Amino acid sequence: IMQNKALQDYSHLSIQWLENLDQVNLLPEAPVIIIANEFFDVFPIRRFQCVKEGLLQEDFVILDNDHCTIQPSGTYVPVETFANLFPHSFYIQLSIGAVIEVSPNILAICEKISQRLQCQQGSAIFIDYGYIYPQIAQTTLQAIHRHEKVSIFDFPGQSDITSHVNFYALSQYFEQRNFRTQVKTQREFLKDWGIDWRLQKCIAAKPEKTNIIRDGYERIVYHMGDLFKVCTIENFEEPS
């Protein structure tokens, strides 16, 4: 709805809104470009911890007398049990205490995206805050309420609950399906695509806004440059 309002000035263009990815078949059959900015971080995750060599425990939300807590399942499960969720290289050398966060919902969406790209060729770009390693030291699940971090159980329905995107799993998923895949930090991506040149052009065009332009540049390149990652997926036939 917000995007629809933001694009009202472009009503002369043929913009078609879809409610879900299942409706992409309604679009014309042509090479596709998919852009997802801060999209994957909202999906629920399954969280596991390596408690012994080759063994995981999954964390669950426990409801007790209207009070919620997160507790380990208490059951050891061989990591191979979740081979459909983890790329093989995930569990070659897991360290004890390592946390693994994977979202089956994201993988299901990636399957639809891969099918679309395989059928019609094209590319996709995913931009989100996340990490590029198979395992992390602690959970990234968080809740933000009125710009402050709170418990994920506080302010139900009013908090922004997210987790960092596992770009390692994301890229592995597409690599295993023979897509050309690359993950970079947002800083690296923007530098490679000429943001420094763009900075100088913008300042030259509007010198009176130099400070505002430089502040924006510093924010997306340096303040957010390492936290945010960019994953690019390509499936184009090489020119003969």
Side-chain angles (χ1 to χ4, degrees):
I1 295 174
M2 293 178 64
Q3 286 287 357
N4 203 338
K5 291 180 179 179
L7 295 175
Q8 284 180 346
D9 292 341
Y10 299 91
S11 58
H12 59 286
L13 299 177
S14 178
I15 299 175
Q16 184 174 351
W17 296 91
L18 307 181
E19 300 206 358
N20 56 66
L21 281 173
D22 292 327
Q23 294 181 329
V24 295
N25 293 329
L26 302 176
L27 297 175
E29 292 189 7
V32 61
I33 299 175
I34 298 172
I35 302 173
N37 182 41
E38 292 193 61
F39 173 66
F40 286 126
D41 64 291
V42 302
F43 288 97
I45 58 171
R46 293 180 69 178
R47 188 172 76 191
F48 304 86
Q49 187 168 21
C50 184
V51 290
K52 293 184 179 180
E53 184 175 352
L55 295 177
L56 299 176
Q57 274 189 331
E58 184 170 5
D59 289 335
F60 290 97
V61 175
I62 307 298
L63 177 62
D64 183 17
N65 295 325
D66 296 328
H67 181 66
C68 290
T69 58
I70 296 179
Q71 299 179 18
S73 63
T75 303
Y76 296 155
V77 181
V79 69
E80 291 84 355
T81 303
F82 303 98
N84 63 319
L85 294 181
F86 308 142
H88 175 68
S89 51
F90 255 46
Y91 46 84
I92 293 176
Q93 290 183 329
L94 282 177
S95 57
I96 305 301
V99 174
I100 301 172
E101 297 175 338
V102 174
S103 171
N105 300 77
I106 290 178
L107 296 182
I109 289 174
C110 286
E111 178 61 25
K112 294 179 180 179
I113 291 174
S114 70
Q115 289 174 358
R116 180 74 172 183
L117 294 178
Q118 286 169 341
C119 290
Q120 298 184 213
Q121 299 189 58
S123 63
I125 179 169
F126 310 133
I127 307 166
D128 227 311
Y129 46 86
Y131 51 94
I132 56 177
Y133 308 105
Q135 57 191 25
I136 50 180
Q138 60 187 10
T139 183
T140 66
L141 185 66
Q142 64 177 5
I144 304 294
H145 178 70
R146 295 181 179 177
H147 308 291
E148 298 288 341
K149 284 190 176 183
V150 296
S151 166
I152 62 171
F153 302 120
D154 293 341
F155 310 104
Q158 302 176 46
S159 297
D160 181 15
I161 300 178
T162 64
S163 63
H164 289 202
V165 176
N166 187 332
F167 277 97
Y168 181 87
L170 202 62
S171 61
Q172 288 282 307
Y173 182 91
F174 285 99
E175 284 182 10
Q176 291 171 2
R177 286 155 180 78
N178 299 316
F179 289 93
R180 290 189 292 277
T181 306
Q182 192 172 52
V183 179
K184 297 182 177 182
T185 65
Q186 180 169 282
R187 177 189 300 143
E188 292 171 330
F189 179 82
L190 292 174
K191 290 278 189 177
D192 288 347
W193 283 89
I195 193 170
D196 290 322
W197 175 87
R198 178 66 176 167
L199 171 67
Q200 298 306 320
K201 287 292 183 180
C202 289
I203 290 175
K206 295 187 177 182
E208 72 280 5
K209 294 187 176 181
T210 295
N211 290 338
I212 295 175
I213 294 171
R214 285 196 178 277
D215 286 346
Y217 169 89
E218 293 286 333
R219 181 171 179 269
I220 64 173
V221 174
Y222 293 103
H223 298 169
M224 300 164 54
D226 288 328
L227 178 60
F228 275 71
K229 309 298 185 297
V230 180
C231 180
T232 55
I233 314 293
E234 295 181 3
N235 182 38
F236 287 109
E237 291 183 0
E238 295 290 342
S240 56

